[in-house]
Amino acid sequence: MTSEKNRVVIFDTTLRDGEQSPGATMSHEEKLEIAGLLDEMGVDIIEAGFPIASEGDFAAVSEIAKNAQNSVICGLSRANFKDIDRCWEAVRHAGRPRIHTFIGTSPLHRAIPDLTQDEMAERIHDTVTHARNLCDNVQWSPMDATRTEWDYLARVVEIAIRAGATTINIPDTVGYTAPVESADLIRRLIAEVPGADEVVFSTHCHNDLGMATANSLAAVAGGARQIECTINGLGERAGNTALEEVVMAMKVRHDIMPYTTGVDATKIMHISRRVATVSGFNVQYNKAIVGKNAFAHESGIHQDGMLKNAETFEIMRPEDVGLSETNIVMGKHSGRAALRSKLKDLGYELGDNQLNDLFVRYKALADRKKEVFDDDLIALVTDAGAPDASDHLEVKFLRVICGTEAPQSADLTLRVGDVDHQSTAQGDGPVDAAFNAVNAIHPNSAQLQLYQVSAVTEGMDAQATVTVRIEEDGRIATGQSADTDTVVASVKAYVNALNRLIMRREKGGSDVPEVTYKDVS
Ligand code: KIV
Ligand code: ZN
């Protein structure tokens, strides 16, 4: 039996804590798209960014706030008036805005701004009061709560409640706690802090010891009614609690966790793929719920059992999380209407121009591949550059000569804006030669941080998806591309990353936030 008191609020921080993960930076348009998908899937609260961190963050939070249909839009701010005012300026456009303000309360974190316990308590009182004067929905977090002395934690939580906080979020900032402790801490705060029954307690866990999901669910058992999480568990270091894991755990094990959320779980796969693509953080194959192998049954015993009764080895159905059942999609004679309808099933609604462009690429792929699978189509849709860079780069022609003897050489035609340029370059291997050919036309000082190849589907003619992450002057850009030819996919991914870098240079700002979490007033 579930009731209102067992409704768990899902607070998604993919666009703030997730995006903060080095290299996961998303463009403005990508943030808007992800926020739209979160809103559509029934996420209660979207933490859209850290408005004072940069002009880009401010613009994204403001626009997400303006576009939101149902979700509460929240922004993060440190414990000072300037941060809080900037946060309010951005979130106030939302139908339902929230200000989230935090300060590190553990001994190690108190030492950074060099505040005594009393001085920090006063700061908490003043900043939460200030936030509450601006907005009637205020969340307060004692960062590193799980390593804060109990007496001090209880004292500052009470101060924040008295000052007007409506949600108290308890972060396990360094992923240090364990399930029993996580439940006890929330239970004890609710039982012992005066005024605790007037606010919602929230849990915010990091996955350093692989316990983020367990700790979040334990916190709910202890009385928390908000879980902070990210899609695919994206986040700094080992990441945050994965939204898909807590939502599905409460659904599948409703018998022992009788809690509900407002999330439409059938939208999980689509948003998971989009977050993986735009962040450049591929989902590990055996990741719970959204990994490629999460519903794959390879062994004979499993397959036999599955054919007789799916429940033998499956605790949830693929379609429960939006994984389409169909495998082989279409032949090379399928038309535009079939493509549009198939893409719709996969969660992509394209405009006419986008569909026409995709159709041409689909036909070319179908000519090269015997079978075109759902994942091939998804790779085609997501294989797009950064269209708003003015000096947009596009690979027009590539021929690589490889052999057992180095060096390899590459002939390339690269369109820059409207003009085609040619180059020939050599390198240590075909990919190096092709990248050198790009650099000969578009000189840059970007350093390669990540080069990753994975097969989209099975078979000798499988498409390869290549992810390339580059860094230049603190700006990080990720590009992805898929092709049946790994070298072609590599060059296109590199060029996509360069396009993003150009776009970021043009828009200004860097991925290293102008402000950090260090508490300065
Ligand atoms: O992990 C953490 O402590 C945070 C806070 C800013 C809530 O992300
Ligand atoms: Zn965090």
Side-chain angles (χ1 to χ4, degrees):
M1 269 284 286
T2 48
S3 62
E4 262 312 289
K5 73 177 184 24
N6 283 350
R7 169 72 158 79
V8 172
V9 167
I10 296 295
F11 176 114
D12 181 278
T13 183
T14 306
L15 297 174
R16 199 277 299 168
D17 221 352
E19 211 246 354
Q20 216 169 281
S21 175
T25 319
M26 300 174 199
S27 72
H28 183 78
E29 292 67 29
E30 288 162 350
K31 287 182 191 173
L32 298 192
E33 181 201 340
I34 300 300
L37 294 176
L38 291 168
D39 194 349
E40 208 178 287
M41 79 190 285
V43 160
D44 300 285
I45 302 163
I46 300 172
E47 188 164 50
F50 187 9
I52 203 154
S54 67
E55 288 302 322
D57 251 44
F58 180 82
V61 178
S62 309
E63 205 161 334
I64 290 169
K66 285 177 195 156
N67 294 348
Q69 298 295 311
N70 300 304
S71 307
V72 171
I73 303 301
C74 175
L76 184 69
S77 51
R78 291 165 304 177
N80 66 68
F81 288 8
K82 205 168 147 215
D83 268 46
I84 293 169
D85 290 344
R86 190 73 174 146
C87 177
W88 173 241
E89 263 184 74
V91 297
R92 72 186 168 83
H93 304 287
R96 298 161 69 206
R98 171 180 288 192
I99 296 175
H100 178 190
T101 180
F102 76 99
I103 194 163
T105 51
S106 66
L108 284 166
H109 282 267
R110 286 200 304 267
I112 298 173
D114 197 17
L115 294 179
T116 63
Q117 290 198 354
D118 288 346
E119 285 165 345
M120 182 170 282
E122 195 181 328
R123 171 89 74 91
I124 293 164
H125 172 269
D126 293 350
T127 49
V128 174
T129 305
H130 183 68
R132 187 56 205 263
N133 285 338
L134 297 169
C135 181
D136 60 9
N137 189 339
V138 173
Q139 172 168 324
W140 180 73
S141 296
M143 185 163 76
D144 207 15
T146 52
R147 294 192 301 167
T148 301
E149 309 90 320
W150 161 256
D151 288 345
Y152 190 58
L153 183 65
R155 175 178 167 203
V156 288
V157 165
E158 183 182 348
I159 289 172
I161 295 173
R162 286 194 194 285
T166 45
T167 296
I168 300 291
N169 177 45
I170 301 298
D172 181 31
T173 305
V174 290
Y176 176 72
T177 201
V180 175
E181 243 177 36
S182 178
D184 282 351
L185 183 58
I186 300 285
R187 200 172 284 124
R188 194 165 172 206
L189 285 167
I190 294 175
E192 295 184 27
V193 173
D197 52 347
E198 283 156 34
V199 299
V200 173
F201 274 83
S202 163
T203 176
H204 175 111
C205 298
H206 282 264
N207 204 28
D208 299 67
L209 292 173
M211 294 193 281
T213 295
N215 287 336
S216 303
L217 295 170
V220 170
R225 286 296 176 269
Q226 174 176 295
I227 298 180
E228 302 207 353
C229 47
T230 60
I231 301 293
N232 299 340
L234 191 67
E236 274 187 291
R237 308 185 310 277
N240 289 57
T241 301
L243 178 147
E244 61 277 7
E245 293 178 14
V246 287
V247 166
M248 290 313 289
M250 290 186 283
K251 250 182 190 297
V252 174
R253 295 311 312 275
H254 199 71
D255 52 334
I256 54 165
M257 292 183 278
Y259 311 108
T260 53
T261 73
V263 172
D264 174 358
T266 64
K267 307 254 193 257
I268 284 177
M269 271 322 293
H270 179 58
I271 192 163
S272 161
R273 287 174 179 136
R274 291 303 295 141
V275 168
T277 302
V278 302
S279 67
F281 277 60
N282 289 342
V283 175
Q284 78 193 51
Y285 277 22
N286 57 344
K287 161 88 179 61
I289 319 292
V290 291
K292 204 175 160 70
N293 289 355
F295 293 93
H297 298 272
E298 285 277 339
S299 90
I301 297 174
H302 279 220
Q303 284 177 348
D304 188 48
M306 286 292 294
L307 288 173
K308 291 184 177 128
N309 180 355
E311 281 179 28
T312 321
F313 287 105
E314 227 166 53
I315 56 168
M316 55 198 154
R317 293 168 308 161
E319 54 271 34
D320 295 343
V321 296
L323 197 61
S324 144
E325 276 256 73
T326 46
N327 234 348
I328 299 169
V329 283
M330 299 186 306
K332 63 179 173 180
H333 302 296
S334 313
R336 266 187 192 70
L339 181 62
R340 188 193 290 276
S341 136
K342 184 70 210 172
L343 289 171
K344 193 157 181 254
D345 284 352
L346 293 171
Y348 296 90
E349 297 217 34
L350 302 191
D352 288 343
N353 289 343
Q354 281 173 305
L355 186 76
N356 289 344
D357 168 58
L358 190 82
F359 189 64
V360 174
R361 292 191 288 132
Y362 166 72
K363 285 284 183 191
L365 180 67
D367 273 342
R368 278 180 287 145
K369 261 189 121 253
K370 281 201 296 290
E371 296 164 326
V372 179
F373 297 91
D374 288 358
D375 283 343
D376 288 317
L377 279 183
I378 291 164
L380 269 190
V381 184
T382 53
D383 183 5
D388 33 4
S390 65
D391 255 350
H392 186 71
L393 311 176
E394 191 187 346
V395 178
K396 299 306 283 183
F397 171 82
L398 176 70
R399 183 174 48 212
V400 178
I401 300 167
C402 312
T404 47
E405 303 280 303
Q408 279 69 28
S409 81
D411 293 326
L412 173 79
T413 305
L414 190 70
R415 181 163 291 175
V416 184
D418 299 326
V419 185
D420 286 351
H421 299 260
Q422 265 120 25
S423 70
T424 299
Q426 296 192 326
D428 187 6
V431 174
D432 190 44
F435 282 21
N436 287 340
V438 173
N439 294 343
I441 297 171
H442 180 76
N444 63 82
S445 57
Q447 299 292 315
L448 189 65
Q449 285 197 330
L450 174 90
Y451 172 74
Q452 189 173 288
V453 183
S454 56
V456 177
T457 46
E458 289 79 35
M460 293 296 280
D461 62 352
Q463 288 201 93
T465 286
V466 177
T467 307
V468 168
R469 190 179 306 141
I470 53 179
E471 189 264 343
E472 185 190 72
D473 299 334
R475 294 186 188 96
I476 297 171
T478 303
Q480 255 189 1
S481 188
D483 199 279
T484 48
D485 184 317
T486 309
V487 184
V488 172
S490 303
V491 175
K492 286 187 173 170
Y494 181 48
V495 162
N496 283 345
L498 285 171
N499 278 328
R500 283 164 188 269
L501 205 58
I502 296 169
M503 188 177 78
R504 285 197 183 132
R505 264 190 233 132
E506 285 172 358
K507 287 192 173 165
S510 93
D511 295 336
V512 179
E514 285 152 27
V515 294
T516 66
Y517 287 85
K518 207 164 154 245
D519 263 297
V520 283
S521 50

